[in-house]
């Protein structure tokens, strides 16, 4: 059972690692993810290396709220708020023109996939940390997404600096929906 004390303790331990440029494996509002400070290029590079993923492919970020979302984008199209509020499951939106994040997090098309976290742990963690977190599946690139903690590859667990000790016996959700949203308000559904 998740108590306020162990939630707070896990947040503090994760933040200590994140502040030093470390990697965490953590339960997100969808599935288990690998995370780091989304503004730290070295930390982002470590995630690419751990996942054996080319750094030309995109990683997603989590933010705590709309205010943080606005801080890291040149513009948030008005329709984004409706999509976030009306979605029945977590939704990751690919936005144009991110700012203030690690350069190696931004692909050549100058977009960034961001989700406003919907679970208590992630919202508290990100809010207290004060910066967005990278949130990418806790898997080696090309391998299946682990649907619970037990399915996470040992190499991922060993490669992280801290593994959050919450919800390890619970089945996770499913990956988020992904929508590409242009600053001209064009909407393209990538994954339902």
């Amino acid at each position: 059972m998740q108590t306020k004390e162990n939630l707070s303790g896990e947040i503090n331990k994760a933040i200590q690692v994140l502040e030093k440029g470390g990697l965490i494996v953590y339960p997100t509002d969808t599935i288990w993810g690998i995370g780091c400070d989304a503004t730290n290029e070295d930390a982002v590079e470590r995630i690419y290396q751990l996942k054996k993923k080319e750094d030309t492919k995109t990683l997603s970020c989590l933010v705590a709220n709309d205010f943080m979302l606005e801080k890291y984008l040149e513009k948030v199209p008005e329709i984004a708020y409706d999509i976030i509020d009306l979605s029945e499951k977590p939704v990751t939106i690919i936005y144009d023109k991110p700012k203030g994040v690690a350069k190696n997090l931004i692909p050549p098309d100058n977009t960034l996939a961001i989700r406003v976290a919907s679970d208590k742990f992630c919202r508290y963690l990100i809010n207290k940390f004060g910066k967005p977190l990278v949130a990418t599946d806790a898997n080696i690139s090309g391998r299946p997404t682990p649907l619970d903690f037990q399915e996470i590859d040992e190499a991922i667990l060993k490669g992280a600096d801290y593994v959050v000790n919450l919800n390890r016996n619970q089945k996770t959700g499913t990956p988020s929906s992904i929508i590409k949203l242009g600053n001209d308000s064009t909407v393209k559904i990538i994954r339902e």
Side-chain angles (χ1 to χ4, degrees), residues 66 69 79-87 91 93 95 116:
D66 291 349
L69 177 68
I79 194 169
Y81 301 108
D82 293 335
I83 292 169
I84 293 165
D85 292 342
L86 299 173
S87 182
V91 60
I93 299 176
Y95 297 94
V116 177

Side-chain angles (χ1 to χ4, degrees), residues 16-88:
Q16 287 175 352
V17 169
L18 293 167
E19 286 176 341
K20 294 176 186 166
L23 306 186
I24 62 170
V25 173
Y26 66 115
T28 72
D29 51 350
T30 55
I31 56 176
W32 277 84
I34 305 170
C36 72
D37 175 351
T39 67
N40 182 323
E41 278 189 54
D42 292 336
V44 170
E45 181 57 36
R46 284 189 60 208
I47 287 185
Y48 288 126
Q49 290 172 5
L50 180 61
K51 287 181 65 76
K52 298 178 176 36
K53 185 175 182 126
E54 294 176 34
D55 67 4
T56 56
K57 295 183 180 173
T58 58
L59 299 175
S60 298
C61 290
L62 285 179
V63 295
N65 49 46
D66 291 349
F67 175 75
M68 188 179 279
L69 177 68
E70 293 162 4
K71 183 177 176 183
Y72 290 95
L73 293 169
E74 229 173 72
K75 175 186 173 190
V76 178
E78 280 301 314
I79 194 169
Y81 301 108
D82 293 335
I83 292 169
I84 293 165
D85 292 342
L86 299 173
S87 182
E88 292 179 15

